Amino acid sequence: MNKWNSITATVAALSILLGTSPVAMAQQPATAATTAPNAQTSVNLDPTVTKRLTDVLNTLAGKQTIEFTSADTASDAWTVYGTLKGTANADFSQDYDSKKGIVQSTSIIYKAADMDKVMAPNLHSKVASFLKTFDTDKVFKTEAIWRVYSPIDEGGFKDYWVLWGKSQNLYIHLDQGNKITASFLYPLKDVKAALINKANRSLKTLGIPTIKPFEYTLRQREDNDTIWHFRDESDTNSVQIGVKTGKVWAVKNEHGMDWDGDKDFAKAFAKPKLSKNQALSAAKSKVQSLFGINLKGYTVQIKKNEYTFLKKGAATVVGKINKKGVFYSLEAIPANGIRN
């Protein structure tokens, strides 16, 4: 799963986990605390578990008044819910592995109005500076702020703030030098016709007969990339265009994936479907038309159905073919690694 799809999955997973939307969760009133020092609880939690959960909360939010309000302990994987009071009222959810005695993840949900109270000034300033250049249409409206820590999430986000808007998110990755990534959804009616036409032409140039219409576009920032990402709801069709340059960087149409399951895929691509020369011949006109890249002088690396076209000092092109030897996905990676 690519990172932008991972962001969407994170929203869905955490919303399900908390049983409500981020905004609704942030707006719930805090439950009255029971009389107990530091970690107050209206559920039956072992003191050792309470301390482990509390220590993480104190590290993330400072020493607030904590109340554990409910817990799902039906299996070894517990989910504990509660509230914070102090600098700002908040709700939280923690995943706890009772077998290993480990706090797997913690999510603290603040109201948008409390951003100045809970976020360090330097981070708040960085967000404001980022939005000046990224959100040129001034569409981002913060509806909720989450502080999330998931240290054992392999390959995922581990330590971050996330600002949620309506179909929008902005992440500050604290474990990656406060790097910011963001994704804002735009209905097609709010996107320039020239951009939509370019995305549609690119999809047609790819040459897969069946095409699913685009339903929206995302304005995305990841690492040094700033792109428009046109797609349908299932991400069957996808076109990525640089925000600053207007260059097409990637085109995909999964209707071109014509194998039937993993076994059929393994059998079909056990040996190269196309030779290196055949791959160059099949790709050159499309690559020229889509990306403006001449494949003359390029070498080819083959791995199953993936063909990588390489030339020293030039952009790299990665393509994927189907059983017929037709490219259903082509992507250009600039020599400096920056797509914008």
Side-chain angles (χ1 to χ4, degrees), residues 143-186:
E143 296 188 356
I145 305 170
W146 293 20
R147 177 69 174 91
V148 184
Y149 184 58
S150 301
I152 65 168
D153 187 2
E154 294 183 8
F157 299 163
K158 296 181 184 295
D159 189 10
Y160 57 92
W161 286 95
V162 56
L163 280 60
W164 298 115
K166 186 177 181 180
S167 300
Q168 303 164 330
N169 57 65
L170 187 156
Y171 285 75
I172 310 169
H173 302 272
L174 303 177
D175 54 343
Q176 300 179 48
N178 299 334
K179 179 182 74 175
I180 292 178
T181 60
S183 181
F184 297 175
L185 184 147
Y186 285 71

Side-chain angles (χ1 to χ4, degrees), residues 117-139:
K117 298 178 183 178
V118 299
M119 184 179 289
N122 65 311
L123 294 181
H124 195 177
S125 177
K126 186 168 185 176
V127 168
S129 296
F130 173 82
L131 288 174
K132 281 183 181 179
T133 57
F134 182 79
D135 185 24
T136 53
D137 300 320
K138 300 187 184 302
V139 299

Side-chain angles (χ1 to χ4, degrees), residues 1 21 27 40 62 64 73-74 91 95 101 122 155 215 225 236-237 255 272 275 282 294 331 335:
M1 180 183 290
S21 68
Q27 293 175 342
Q40 307 171 35
Q64 311 294 309
T73 59
D91 296 273
D95 288 341
N122 65 311
E215 295 178 87
D225 292 351
T236 300
N237 294 331
H255 283 297
S275 69
N294 188 334
E331 178 180 3

Side-chain angles (χ1 to χ4, degrees), residues 37-69:
N38 195 14
Q40 307 171 35
T41 180
S42 53
V43 293
N44 186 22
L45 292 175
D46 179 272
T48 300
V49 174
T50 300
K51 184 177 186 307
R52 288 170 179 163
L53 295 170
T54 301
D55 285 347
V56 176
L57 290 166
N58 287 340
T59 299
L60 298 181
K63 288 191 176 181
Q64 311 294 309
T65 300
I66 300 168
E67 182 185 5
F68 298 102
T69 56

Side-chain angles (χ1 to χ4, degrees), residues 52 80 86 127 133 158 189 243 245 258 302-303 320 322:
R52 288 170 179 163
V80 182
V127 168
T133 57
K158 296 181 184 295
K189 65 180 179 62
V243 169
T245 62
D258 57 356
I302 306 171
K303 184 179 180 181
K320 294 181 179 180
N322 60 20

Side-chain angles (χ1 to χ4, degrees), residues 52 96-102 104:
R52 288 170 179 163
Y96 182 78
D97 188 326
S98 62
K99 196 169 185 178
K100 296 180 179 179
I102 297 172
Q104 295 181 306

